[in-house]
Structure formats: structure tokens, C-alpha cells
Amino acid sequence: MLSKPLEEIFPDVPDDLDLSQLDLERIPQHVAVIMDGNGRWAKKRGSIRLAGHKAGIGAVREAIRTASDIGVRYLTLYSFSTENWNRPKAEVVGLMELFAKTMLAEVDELHKEGVRVMTIGDDSMLPDRTREAFAKAWEKTRDNTGMTLMVAVNYGGRQEIVQAVNRIIAEDAQRASAGDQALPVTAERISAHLDTAKVQAPDPDLVIRTSGELRVSNFLLWQIAYSEFYVTDVLWPDFDRYEFLRALLGFQGRDRRFGGVGKA
């Protein structure tokens, strides 16, 4: 059941969208977003890249509110990859400060709305202020029962799989030292050692990528095996609730097969 009327969530629907086509029984449980295009948005306006990142905060806020209101249970936002450290130092420093400021500014409202906030990825490399801001958000919201917001920060899909394998190796070594046999390595066992396992989140039903790029950029490589993809040319700072609605309608128009035979 929605927390507010659908017409209140989407009050000014563009003429080319039909809100009546949205099936509330088929809202994806888990939506993952590759937020791309901040730099190009800034360049088009003659601004520095960090200005685009700051503008993108509005789109982050819009996506969180819309996903929560429409009944999405898990929203994962790809905010900073393990490869993003290779960007210019000034941009990285600015991003880390922006993460901290935004998290501290938004956490009270997120808590009020029942959203649970957590991170996935290796936060050990983050500046203290950034890491502490995310930690405070987790502590404040950890018992909330609404939508879970997973912020992927210093995250890489390959790194996550490697870490999962190493955890399994260490686990089996511990079993061997106790005189027990190693357990079989299965897909389920690997999944249980991934970052997303700590909230028992289902694999993403829908992956959204903005700015028109056709790649996954090392994002949730294991988890998106059967996800549906929605790619839009819209740059991330311009991605609003109606673009989110377009993605939902696009998702609902798919025949999900999971390797089997489709309906048609």
C-alpha cells in the first residue's frame, strides 16, 4: 500500500506518460542506479565537474523519495567506484566532502521517512569525516523498516567477488583447523559472502543507467545476472521522478525470463 496517493507522488505527469499504466503490483523490489553524467552536465554549462556533482544531489534526493513512496524496498546508488580514485585530486576531495555534508544534512529526513541507510564497498579508504557521516546515518536508521538505501562507495564488483572468495577460503581454513571438511563452493555460498548479503537484499530487478552509456562499469557484477536494464540519455542531474516513472513503466513492459521461455 502506498503511503500517499499516486497522483501526489506524480502530480504533474508529462503528456507522453500514462500514469494509469503503472501496475502497483509489479513495482521492482530492488532498483540499482548508475548515476552518470554529472561532469557532462557541468561542462554543458561551462562549470567545473564538482558543480555537476552538487547538482546531482537533487536527483539523488528525488530518486530516494520517489522509490520510497512508490514501494521500492531496496535502492542501491553507485556513488563512487574503486576506479574513481584516479580522477583529479581536487574532484575526489570535493566529492568526499560532498558525501559527508549531504549525508549529515539528509539523515534526519530519511530517518523520519523510515529509510534505512547503509553502505556497500570498502569504506576503510574514505576520509574520516566521510566514513563517520555514513556510520552516523547507519546508527540512526539501522532499525527502520522502510526502504533500505544502499550507497555504493569505494565499491567495485570484481573487488566484491574477490573478497567473497577470500572469505570463503578463510572460512574453510578455519573449518580444516577444527578438523572439519570444507563446504562446497556454490552460487548461494558466494552470494552469502557478498556485501549485499548483510541486508539479505534480493538481486536488483532493475538497473537504471543515465547519460546513455552502454556499460555496467564494474557495478554489482554478480547480482545483476538477470536484472532488467533501462538506459536513458538524460544526464543524472536532470533525472527526476518522471524519468524514474519512465524507467518503471519500461521495466513493467518487459517479459522477464531468467533464462527460460518467455510468455510470447
Side-chain angles (χ1 to χ4, degrees):
M1 180 178 293
L2 299 178
S3 59
K4 59 183 71 172
L6 192 59
E7 291 74 19
E8 189 175 329
I9 300 173
F10 301 105
D12 300 303
V13 180
D15 291 339
D16 63 327
L17 290 177
D18 184 356
L19 191 57
S20 68
Q21 294 298 309
L22 185 65
D23 185 352
L24 296 178
E25 299 298 321
R26 297 182 58 218
I27 298 298
Q29 287 190 70
H30 186 176
V31 176
V33 185
I34 303 173
M35 305 178 293
D36 196 13
N38 290 344
R40 272 165 284 178
W41 186 94
K43 185 178 181 180
K44 286 173 63 176
R45 290 158 177 78
S47 299
I48 62 172
R49 290 176 58 86
L50 192 58
H53 295 311
K54 290 179 179 178
I57 295 301
V60 169
R61 187 180 298 114
E62 184 92 336
I64 295 170
R65 300 294 186 272
T66 305
S68 178
D69 287 344
I70 204 66
V72 172
R73 297 301 303 162
Y74 301 88
L75 177 67
T76 303
L77 301 180
Y78 199 13
S79 63
F80 193 87
S81 75
T82 50
E83 293 76 27
N84 286 158
W85 295 106
N86 296 321
R87 292 183 175 184
K89 183 177 179 180
E91 182 181 352
V92 171
V93 170
L95 268 171
M96 291 298 157
E97 182 62 19
L98 185 60
F99 291 155
K101 285 183 177 179
T102 302
M103 199 74 268
L104 293 172
E106 297 289 331
V107 66
D108 286 342
E109 187 63 26
L110 291 171
H111 180 51
K112 181 180 177 182
E113 295 184 13
V115 175
R116 181 172 58 160
V117 181
M118 64 178 299
T119 61
I120 58 173
D122 180 7
D123 65 1
S124 65
M125 292 178 62
L126 303 181
D128 290 345
R129 174 170 157 79
T130 306
R131 186 172 59 254
E132 290 167 4
F134 283 122
K136 287 179 180 177
W138 166 244
E139 287 301 321
K140 190 175 187 70
T141 66
R142 64 188 305 167
D143 295 325
N144 289 345
T145 58
M147 185 183 76
T148 295
L149 170 64
M150 291 187 285
V151 182
V153 58
N154 193 28
Y155 172 87
R158 286 181 173 179
Q159 177 192 50
E160 180 186 30
I161 294 169
V162 168
Q163 288 175 340
V165 171
N166 282 327
R167 288 171 187 144
I168 289 172
I169 291 171
E171 191 177 79
D172 284 345
Q174 188 174 21
R175 290 179 61 85
S177 67
D180 296 325
Q181 288 188 339
L183 297 173
V185 177
T186 62
E188 291 75 18
R189 193 176 176 199
I190 292 174
S191 293
H193 287 81
L194 297 173
D195 288 358
T196 46
K198 54 190 174 184
V199 290
Q200 298 182 324
D203 291 341
D205 301 292
L206 171 65
V207 176
I208 298 171
R209 176 151 195 161
T210 58
S211 85
E213 299 294 345
L214 301 174
R215 56 179 179 268
V216 298
S217 297
N218 200 20
F219 183 48
L220 298 177
L221 297 180
W222 181 274
Q223 296 91 333
I224 62 175
Y226 285 102
S227 301
E228 297 294 328
F229 280 74
Y230 176 85
V231 178
T232 175
D233 289 332
V234 173
L235 302 178
W236 178 248
D238 296 324
F239 191 88
D240 60 16
R241 63 186 56 228
Y242 301 104
E243 295 301 331
F244 202 109
L245 176 59
R246 290 181 198 280
L248 293 176
L249 290 171
F251 168 79
Q252 292 186 351
R254 310 283 178 83
D255 177 11
R256 302 192 73 194
R257 303 182 184 183
F258 300 98
V261 179
K263 296 177 181 177

